[in-house]
């Protein structure tokens, strides 16, 4: 390719399986011992999987540096509360009908002004995936003044970004 232009492609695979437990004990004054509180205690088995593939083209046209590309992403999250019958899952895209929603384009432009100054502009589409505490259907009592309960059926969101920056 000419003028330092290059084509990039790659894949990313992330898989993680975790098990953890959060045991809550209460003091039984009659028996003078701590006993497990099965309502507030949790045992989780979690599978998290994110797969992505991308292609980018990077080049220069006169004084303008540019990069444009596409990224495809599939994500899956499954959690089981082992001491109950509760489970929760998240999948994006959630069916072949909306596979186009899993394509994320990006365009990045920059121009240098002298040795120490650069103006950057980019337009891209990104995904926001829910985290563990946003998904789990159990009560989180880490802060007794703010009890939290997750949504086991979330909808992911995408956002279009249009940041600019001046570095120098």
């Amino acid at each position: 390719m000419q003028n330092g232009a290059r084509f990039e492609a790659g894949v990313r695979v992330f898989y993680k399986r975790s098990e953890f437990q959060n045991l809550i004990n209460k003091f039984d004054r009659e028996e003078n011992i701590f006993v497990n509180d099965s309502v507030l205690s949790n045992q989780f088995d979690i599978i998290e999987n994110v797969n992505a593939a991308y292609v980018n083209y990077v080049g220069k046209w006169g004084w303008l540096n540019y990069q444009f590309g596409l990224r495809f992403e599939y994500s899956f999250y499954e959690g089981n509360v082992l001491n109950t019958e509760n489970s929760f899952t998240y999948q994006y895209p959630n069916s072949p009908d909306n596979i186009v929603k899993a394509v994320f384009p990006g365009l990045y432009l920059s121009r240098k002004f002298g040795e120490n100054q650069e103006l950057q502009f980019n337009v891209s589409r990104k995904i926001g995936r829910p985290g563990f505490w946003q998904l789990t259907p159990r009560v989180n009592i880490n802060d007794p003044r703010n009890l939290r309960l997750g949504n086991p059926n979330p909808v992911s969101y995408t956002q279009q970004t249009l940041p600019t920056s001046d570095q120098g």
Side-chain angles (χ1 to χ4, degrees):
M1 297 191 175
Q2 60 186 15
N3 296 333
R6 67 183 186 275
F7 176 77
E8 301 172 342
V11 296
R12 177 181 183 256
V13 176
F14 173 80
Y15 178 86
K16 179 177 158 185
R17 183 168 189 170
S18 322
E19 288 186 29
F20 71 91
Q21 51 184 309
N22 181 23
L23 300 176
I24 307 295
N25 293 316
K26 289 197 247 181
F27 190 72
D28 183 334
R29 295 183 190 275
E30 291 177 11
E31 298 291 324
N32 202 28
I33 59 171
F34 284 97
V35 293
N36 182 282
D37 184 335
S38 61
V39 173
L40 297 177
S41 294
N42 301 303
Q43 292 178 276
F44 295 100
D45 179 28
I46 297 167
I47 295 173
E48 188 174 3
N49 181 226
V50 179
N51 301 307
Y54 71 92
V55 293
N56 282 331
Y57 184 78
V58 179
K60 186 173 184 173
W61 185 53
W63 48 263
L64 182 67
N65 295 306
Y66 61 88
Q67 174 182 334
F68 59 89
L70 294 172
R71 182 174 49 87
F72 171 79
E73 183 176 299
Y74 168 80
S75 52
F76 176 78
Y77 192 98
E78 177 182 39
N80 292 298
V81 186
L82 300 176
N83 55 328
T84 70
E85 297 295 318
N86 291 336
S87 66
F88 46 98
T89 61
Y90 163 81
Q91 181 177 330
Y92 189 85
N94 58 5
S95 77
D97 294 339
N98 53 359
I99 202 151
V100 172
K101 291 181 180 179
V103 176
F104 300 92
L107 172 66
Y108 305 86
L109 306 171
S110 68
R111 179 180 180 187
K112 287 198 174 222
F113 296 94
E115 190 80 15
N116 298 322
Q117 198 168 21
E118 182 177 14
L119 179 64
Q120 299 175 343
F121 171 82
N122 75 67
V123 178
S124 60
R125 186 168 170 259
K126 301 185 183 287
I127 185 171
R129 291 183 299 274
F132 172 76
W133 287 113
Q134 293 167 317
L135 290 170
T136 182
R138 301 288 285 175
V139 175
N140 177 355
I141 61 160
N142 290 334
D143 180 352
R145 293 187 183 108
N146 297 298
L147 299 179
R148 296 183 191 112
L149 178 66
N151 176 3
N153 300 306
V155 176
S156 65
Y157 65 91
T158 59
Q159 60 188 20
Q160 283 61 258
T161 62
L162 186 67
T164 60
S165 68
D166 178 26
Q167 299 179 354

